[in-house]
Amino acid sequence: MRNQIVKRIAAVFLAGVMVVSLAACGGNKKTEEKAADDNKKETEIQVFIAASLNTVMTELAKEYNEDHPEVKITFNADSSGTLLTQIEEGYECDLFFSAAQKQMDQLEADGLVVDGTRANVLNNQVVVISLKDSGTKVTGLENLKDAKSIALAGGSVPVGKYTRQALVNLGTLKTDGEVDAITTDQVSQALGGVEISEEDNVSKVLTAVAEGSCEVGTTYYSDTYGYEDKLDILQTVNYDLTGDVIYPICQVQNDEADKTQTAAAKDFYKFVLSDKAKKVFDAYYFDTDVER
């Protein structure tokens, strides 16, 4: 009888130990799950991008969010000059992706670039465009004066600056200073008084031509993606005339960001520089063969 009582006590004790052990295991699992959830806290990052990057970056954000649904990526797309001014004025920004080096140089001089994060990502090319089968006499920058109307970005907009630089190198424009200081009126006079619609960014140039408001315009080759059936590329402007059209990116000093936001911005920055992102950029007519 005594042996039976001892056996029952032992069985009860072992059962208790098993319950405690299982509870401990469950607790560890819950702790691990909580830690994983903590690493995936929802956050939002502010990414300032040149207008010509809007379509491709929207695609990249979709791909990134497949693995990181907890990160909301909000884009501010405009001319690089406008974006630079906004950052300098205190707009909250985590990443800046410019269409030219000048704006990035200034941001770095302002002390707003996170050390070691500036990197060249893409090259692009200026093109002269018109509506498909428009019958325009213009074949390129050399006879731009034959256009009835031109859509042209302002000098502070990278594509406007590159276009002016090409016209200076062709001898059409003359300047003793910075080419981006050449006004739209001066360009018009040099082209014999042709009507020019000055646009705030490259996307507005594209729209002016695609909607028929202007006969021709200068945009980037990447901007013609999706418009193959609507637009004719009259000329792809040689780098000898414009120089390289480099797009640099950086992380921006954001004092308003918490650790989760800063970490998410850093991770998306790395994704933009990844081989997976390169394939997307290539598909959208950008040149990724760039020394970083």
Side-chain angles (χ1 to χ4, degrees), residues 48-66:
F48 284 30
I49 58 174
S52 52
L53 290 166
N54 199 19
T55 303
V56 67
M57 289 299 288
T58 300
E59 176 65 27
L60 282 178
K62 286 171 61 178
E63 293 202 12
Y64 180 79
N65 282 144
E66 288 178 4

Side-chain angles (χ1 to χ4, degrees), residues 45 64 95 117 251 261-271:
I45 60 175
Y64 180 79
L95 298 177
T117 65
Q251 261 188 276
Q261 184 176 336
T262 300
K266 183 177 181 180
D267 194 60
F268 184 60
Y269 163 87
K270 289 180 178 178
F271 178 73

Side-chain angles (χ1 to χ4, degrees), residues 156-205:
S156 65
V157 182
V159 72
K161 178 183 177 181
Y162 290 124
T163 301
R164 285 164 172 77
Q165 183 63 66
L167 291 171
V168 167
N169 288 333
L170 284 170
T172 304
L173 291 176
K174 301 188 184 304
T175 182
D176 295 326
E178 296 289 332
V179 294
D180 53 5
I182 300 174
T183 67
T184 298
D185 284 341
Q186 288 173 318
V187 177
S188 176
Q189 291 170 18
L191 295 174
V194 63
E195 178 188 337
I196 298 180
S197 174
E198 181 177 315
E199 306 298 343
D200 295 336
N201 58 54
V202 70
S203 297
K204 291 183 179 179
V205 173

Side-chain angles (χ1 to χ4, degrees), residues 116-283:
T117 65
R118 177 173 177 170
N120 295 331
V121 186
L122 308 167
N123 205 348
N124 212 337
Q125 209 156 5
V126 175
V127 293
V128 182
I129 60 170
S130 71
L131 273 177
K132 189 169 285 293
D133 302 323
S134 67
T136 181
K137 296 178 181 178
V138 176
T139 57
L141 294 180
E142 291 83 355
N143 65 339
L144 203 55
K145 61 181 178 58
D146 292 336
K148 295 176 182 176
S149 60
I150 302 170
L152 178 67
S156 65
V157 182
V159 72
K161 178 183 177 181
Y162 290 124
T163 301
R164 285 164 172 77
Q165 183 63 66
L167 291 171
V168 167
N169 288 333
L170 284 170
T172 304
L173 291 176
K174 301 188 184 304
T175 182
D176 295 326
E178 296 289 332
V179 294
D180 53 5
I182 300 174
T183 67
T184 298
D185 284 341
Q186 288 173 318
V187 177
S188 176
Q189 291 170 18
L191 295 174
V194 63
E195 178 188 337
I196 298 180
S197 174
E198 181 177 315
E199 306 298 343
D200 295 336
N201 58 54
V202 70
S203 297
K204 291 183 179 179
V205 173
L206 183 75
T207 299
V209 177
E211 291 181 351
S213 301
C214 294
E215 184 180 336
V216 299
T218 59
T219 66
Y220 295 121
Y221 176 50
S222 63
D223 287 294
T224 65
Y225 179 88
Y227 286 84
E228 295 85 355
D229 294 335
K230 194 164 188 178
L231 298 175
D232 278 331
I233 296 176
L234 305 175
Q235 180 189 22
T236 302
V237 183
N238 197 289
Y239 288 130
D240 291 341
L241 294 176
T242 61
D244 284 336
V245 184
I246 299 295
Y247 286 57
I249 193 173
C250 77
Q251 261 188 276
V252 179
Q253 297 283 1
N254 184 2
D255 296 334
E256 297 181 32
D258 59 21
K259 290 182 179 179
T260 303
Q261 184 176 336
T262 300
K266 183 177 181 180
D267 194 60
F268 184 60
Y269 163 87
K270 289 180 178 178
F271 178 73
V272 172
L273 297 178
S274 69
D275 289 338
K276 185 176 182 180
K278 269 189 174 185
K279 293 178 181 178
V280 178
F281 284 124
D282 287 334

Side-chain angles (χ1 to χ4, degrees), residues 84-99:
L84 170 65
T85 300
Q86 290 175 347
I87 297 171
E88 290 176 326
E89 289 177 349
Y91 283 55
E92 185 179 358
C93 174
D94 296 296
L95 298 177
F96 178 42
F97 202 166
S98 173

